[in-house]
Amino acid sequence: MSSHSLVPQTSGLSLPVAQMRSVFHPGDVERRLARLQEAGSQREYENLRAVYERMLERGPERFQVKPSGVPDMAPLYEHLPNFAEVLDDVKRHVALAQDSRDGLEVTPMLLLGPPGIGKTHFARQLAELLGTGMNLVPMSSMTAGWLLSGASSQWKGARPGKVFEALVEGEYANPVIVVDEIDKAAGDAQYDPLGALYGLLEHDTAQNFTDEFAEVAIDASQVIWITTANDERGIPEPILNRMNVFQVQAPTPSQARAIALNLYRGIRAGHDWGRLIDPEPQPAVLDLLAQMPPREMRRALMTGFGNARLARRSTVEADDLPRAAAAKGRIGFVQ
């Protein structure tokens, strides 16, 4: 698949540089569509024909974006201090792509760690940093092997997979696709939910990825893959070998306080009612928040802000926050 520059690189800017990259060959689609026109049962292939017509209508070119230089990642290091090793790896890949016509390539990564430490939030922030879109694939609730690769059009209710949708229906040739909780993928010998990843995580084979529904080769080689898991023992070894594995630890007490402080300031600044709230939190509030996983901090803060306003106060007090559930295995708060 080809690419060409759309916006010339300009030194000193951190805005994404865009090129246009073809993610499929229109001729392949036209040939598949012509065969359908010759098929006897038009109704049987109505959905497939609509997909081909949509592909031709949108055309094959998508934005391929990358930062025009190594972006200022200091805010991410500050907001996500326990992801410093992962951010270092991203910075190295960005440095390779700058000052060249090459697109940004990031080795597929696995973020391994306990639940609630911000793995999915990190992926969202990374997509924003790189200026591309994000697609979330939650494997814990999916059992079908065609989730990523599509199901044959011969099956009733068949449809394209998530990779096809991200590239054909999306705007970018290099979207971030997050396979969330990959260790919880369920399947059987006939339908392996992770089967498509064997080819998708390899750059060369991903260049000609064929969705089983559309049966048209698409270029998925520029996809930025982020997978998350709590336990690597549920992931096949060949999948692990195709990724950089990062063991993400829960934040230290000092890191947790910094995350809580940034969340307080960020939520307050992002809402008009924030002007009615003190600009800085009380130390006791930070002490309580620091005992919670990052995922729970935001919910606790929203409860605290709401309780403070109910009391007609500008100060959020420790008693305004819900208490983290202490029982082992429980998730959430005791109100």
Side-chain angles (χ1 to χ4, degrees), residues 278-313:
D278 292 349
E280 296 296 315
Q282 293 187 330
V285 168
L286 291 182
D287 289 341
L288 281 177
L289 291 171
Q291 299 173 29
M292 304 174 186
R295 176 190 293 170
E296 296 180 5
M297 287 182 187
R298 177 176 292 275
R299 300 199 303 271
L301 274 170
M302 292 302 293
T303 299
F305 287 136
N307 284 334
R309 292 309 303 148
L310 282 173
R312 310 299 293 176
R313 283 186 275 105

Side-chain angles (χ1 to χ4, degrees), residues 9-18 65-73 94 98 128-132:
Q9 183 165 327
T10 305
S11 60
L13 295 178
S14 60
L15 295 175
V17 171
V65 298
K66 67 176 181 179
S68 58
V70 178
D72 180 13
M73 297 172 65
V94 172
Q98 71 171 342
E128 184 176 330
L129 172 77
L130 300 178
T132 186

Side-chain angles (χ1 to χ4, degrees), residues 137-170:
V137 183
M139 297 304 292
S140 60
S141 59
M142 305 292 185
T143 59
W146 44 263
L147 176 64
L148 290 168
S149 61
S152 170
S153 58
Q154 304 292 329
W155 294 92
K156 183 178 180 180
R159 56 178 296 174
K162 297 291 186 180
V163 178
F164 181 92
E165 289 180 351
L167 292 167
V168 173
E169 293 296 335

